[in-house]
Amino acid sequence: LRVFFAVMIVTNGIFIAAQTDLAATGIAEDNHAVLFSLSIVYTLVFAIEIVLRVAAEGCGFFIKREQRAWNMLDLFVVIASLVEMGFDMLVQAHSGMQEGPQGAMHFRVLRLLRITKII
């Protein structure tokens, strides 16, 4: 499972870079549904990972000294990703916009923090 999630983290980093580049060039508007769907998949995979880890480790997930900082970083990044996804869904539902608010870009940057765990 570690290899699977390591691959997910790396491919998510590549996806975020491509998504940001496409948004900067204006191409993202044409592929918004695909990009948004992939973003949801990555967010849900990482959310499921956190839930499984908390279920397996219980309170140890928050207490273990050697892994506590990484666990808190993972939890923070997943929560930020869920918030970003919520913002994007709200904006789409209420205004018909193709892209989320500019502030949502900051949440994508936070997701890149997961890559530091591999390094």
Side-chain angles (χ1 to χ4, degrees):
L1 269 178
R2 285 182 185 230
V3 172
F4 171 75
F5 286 111
V7 169
M8 290 298 293
I9 290 168
V10 170
T11 59
N12 188 36
I14 293 167
F15 169 71
I16 292 168
Q19 185 180 25
T20 303
D21 185 55
L22 291 172
T25 59
I27 299 172
E29 294 176 14
D30 298 336
N31 301 308
H32 182 70
V34 172
L35 295 174
F36 186 66
S37 297
L38 282 172
S39 180
I40 289 173
V41 168
Y42 279 112
T43 299
L44 292 177
V45 165
F46 293 131
I48 290 168
E49 176 200 17
I50 292 290
V51 169
L52 290 174
R53 287 172 49 202
V54 169
E57 297 177 28
C59 291
F61 180 82
F62 301 102
I63 297 172
K64 286 185 193 174
R65 288 189 182 270
E66 65 276 358
Q67 292 295 318
R68 184 174 181 204
W70 289 119
N71 290 345
M72 292 297 110
L73 174 67
D74 286 346
L75 185 62
F76 176 75
V77 170
V78 167
I79 290 170
S81 296
L82 290 169
V83 168
E84 176 195 6
M85 189 172 68
F87 278 149
D88 284 346
M89 289 177 160
L90 281 174
V91 168
Q92 287 180 13
H94 292 298
S95 68
M97 291 175 55
Q98 292 295 312
E99 295 251 1
Q102 283 298 108
M105 179 75 89
H106 301 303
F107 290 110
R108 288 185 201 125
V109 173
L110 291 175
R111 290 190 338 222
L112 287 173
L113 288 174
R114 290 186 67 100
I115 293 176
T116 61
K117 187 173 182 177
I118 294 176
I119 299 171

